Amino acid sequence: MDSILKQGVVFQVRSEIANNPSIAKSFSNVNEFESFIQEKIDVRVKQLGLDEPWYTPQRIGITMYKIMILDFGNTTFLSSDS
């Protein structure tokens, strides 16, 4: 499950950067650009708590809170243009 969530984060970060071409133009080589992308992915994974096991009290608490307020997140794969 975590690997699927991490893949979603990778997809989301890469699409956000692809939608802003000025970010890519600000780097002098591909290695700098890829390390920038990986840094953004790592920060997002840490913010979402995906770097910890699912059974940690923090992740269980956040999940229970989101279920209670019916916050099931945003879809990135099944969204329409309208």
Side-chain angles (χ1 to χ4, degrees):
M1 179 72 166
D2 280 347
S3 64
I4 294 170
L5 294 172
K6 288 179 183 177
Q7 287 175 354
V9 168
V10 170
F11 176 79
Q12 189 177 28
V13 168
R14 288 193 177 270
S15 66
E16 288 171 4
I17 292 172
N19 289 334
N20 191 353
S22 64
I23 294 174
K25 292 178 184 176
S26 66
F27 293 97
S28 61
N29 63 36
V30 176
N31 292 334
E32 285 181 15
F33 182 61
E34 286 298 321
S35 65
F36 171 77
I37 291 173
Q38 189 59 46
E39 181 182 324
K40 292 292 182 186
I41 291 169
D42 294 342
V43 167
R44 185 80 51 91
V45 165
K46 186 161 181 68
Q47 285 175 341
L48 294 173
L50 298 176
D51 57 337
E52 299 177 14
W54 66 269
Y55 50 82
T56 59
Q58 179 185 6
R59 283 200 52 194
I60 290 174
I62 290 171
T63 302
M64 295 306 291
Y65 173 74
K66 287 186 174 194
I67 289 171
M68 286 175 34
I69 64 169
L70 301 176
D71 178 12
F72 300 113
N74 297 324
T75 181
T76 55
F77 299 107
L78 301 175
S79 58
S80 67
D81 293 333
S82 58

